[in-house]
Amino acid sequence: MKKVLTIAGSDSCGGAGIQADLKAMSAQGVYGMSVITAITAQNTKGVFAVQEIDLDIIKKQIEVLYEDIDIDAVKIGMLSSSDIIKVVYETLKDVNAKNIVIDPVMVSKSGYYLLKEEAIEALKEFLKIGTLVTPNIPEAEILANMKIENEEDMILAAKKIKTLGAKNVLMKGGHREDNCTDILLTDKDEVIKFLGERFETKNTHGTGCTLSSTIASYIGKGYSVEESVRLGKEYITQAIKNSFSIGEGVGPVGHFIDLYKKAGVDFE
């Protein structure tokens, strides 16, 4: 079994962050492990508080895992401060981490800033360690310092982000109103489009975490970046299609929909 690590924040609601990552990894048949960078207090209605983990503990979590286990891929999620970004960057370099997928988490769906403004430049520097970076449109607008309104803008933004050092850039189109096509700019500067299907649901909590973790899982299993993105897109599409409500706000996607059905769960 392949081993995949997530380095991210904890979501007490279970729909995003570390919890979504581990669910997505398990659904792809890999063994998921976690390094927690922050603890959030949140529910389906929003994020209400964040407590960052001590830097020494973050560093030690990474070190002891790599001392013992051959890790096949890494997914990076919430790194809320420049200090956390720096320690994760330096430690991953020290342990010769491979196959790093970076989801540049900045703002929660409820509008809570998960990345401090002073850390944006540090995050840009961090991207050079990435095999793949997976920004949504609001994140890409910050990283590329431009407005994105159409596919041409998405491609231009991807090219700008690629100059920061990431080998491949996946521009996620879910925030667009006209369509939800994702665009991959490869390490060979090829532009590959992945057509999307939009569903009428409010329950999309953790979609970015789930997609990036799925892609990291497939890269860890030996698939190419392009094929990993394709399979990740297929999985997240079905997970959104089978999302469900658990509270008054934005519910989670269906990470284990086949198992839920097998167990006789009725979401009606």
Side-chain angles (χ1 to χ4, degrees):
M1 182 181 288
K2 297 299 184 180
K3 286 83 68 181
V4 182
L5 172 65
T6 169
I7 303 176
S10 169
D11 171 10
S12 55
C13 192
I18 290 286
Q19 288 80 355
D21 296 339
L22 293 176
K23 291 173 186 177
M25 291 171 182
S26 298
Q28 314 319 317
V30 302
Y31 184 78
M33 300 164 288
S34 63
V35 168
I36 299 177
T37 61
I39 297 171
T40 68
Q42 62 178 293
N43 56 28
T44 64
K45 294 186 285 187
V47 180
F48 297 90
V50 173
Q51 175 66 61
E52 294 178 353
I53 300 299
D54 183 84
L55 296 176
D56 290 337
I57 295 298
I58 294 173
K59 179 180 176 66
K60 183 57 69 173
Q61 287 180 88
I62 299 171
E63 288 177 338
V64 298
L65 286 172
Y66 275 90
E67 286 170 4
D68 180 47
I69 300 167
D70 183 15
I71 296 173
D72 298 289
V74 187
K75 173 265 168 91
I76 306 292
M78 177 184 175
L79 306 176
S80 56
S81 71
S82 56
D83 287 339
I84 291 176
I85 292 170
K86 182 178 179 180
V87 75
V88 172
Y89 177 81
E90 292 179 346
T91 309
L92 288 177
K93 286 182 64 178
D94 288 344
V95 299
N96 295 315
K98 61 186 178 182
N99 297 329
I100 301 172
V101 176
I102 302 172
D103 184 21
V105 176
M106 295 185 179
V107 184
S108 72
K109 277 188 171 61
S110 61
Y112 193 102
Y113 281 80
L114 301 173
L115 177 73
K116 296 175 182 176
E117 187 173 356
E118 52 85 15
I120 292 174
E121 292 304 313
L123 180 61
K124 289 181 179 180
E125 181 73 14
F126 186 85
L127 297 186
K128 66 177 61 174
I129 203 173
T131 302
L132 173 70
V133 59
T134 63
N136 59 31
I137 286 178
E139 292 160 350
E141 288 181 332
I142 294 172
L143 293 173
N145 193 29
M146 62 174 284
K147 186 68 177 174
I148 299 172
E149 297 180 343
N150 50 48
E151 284 191 3
E152 290 73 22
D153 290 342
M154 291 174 70
I155 294 170
L156 178 57
K159 291 178 177 178
K160 289 187 174 184
I161 293 170
K162 193 166 179 283
T163 64
L164 298 174
K167 296 180 180 66
N168 303 270
V169 179
L170 177 64
M171 292 288 302
K172 298 180 295 189
H175 282 77
R176 288 179 60 192
E177 294 184 0
D178 51 346
N179 68 57
C180 51
T181 296
D182 295 344
I183 296 176
L184 174 66
L185 179 65
T186 73
D187 56 354
K188 298 178 181 178
D189 290 327
E190 297 174 294
V191 175
I192 303 171
K193 298 180 182 180
F194 298 88
L195 301 181
E197 183 179 0
R198 193 178 295 279
F199 302 99
E200 292 301 321
T201 178
K202 67 175 182 177
N203 299 319
T204 56
H205 188 48
T207 50
C209 306
T210 299
L211 176 60
S212 56
S213 295
T214 301
I215 293 171
S217 297
Y218 279 107
I219 292 176
K221 291 166 74 170
Y223 290 77
S224 68
V225 169
E226 179 183 348
E227 189 62 16
S228 296
V229 170
R230 189 179 309 280
L231 291 166
K233 180 78 170 178
E234 291 175 1
Y235 175 72
I236 191 61
T237 298
Q238 290 304 308
I240 294 172
K241 181 180 180 180
N242 292 283
S243 62
F244 52 93
S245 295
I246 60 171
E248 298 178 12
V250 178
V253 299
H255 293 97
F256 297 127
I257 193 62
D258 291 337
L259 291 178
Y260 296 152
K261 290 178 179 178
K262 188 176 180 180
V265 177
D266 184 3
F267 293 114
E268 297 299 327

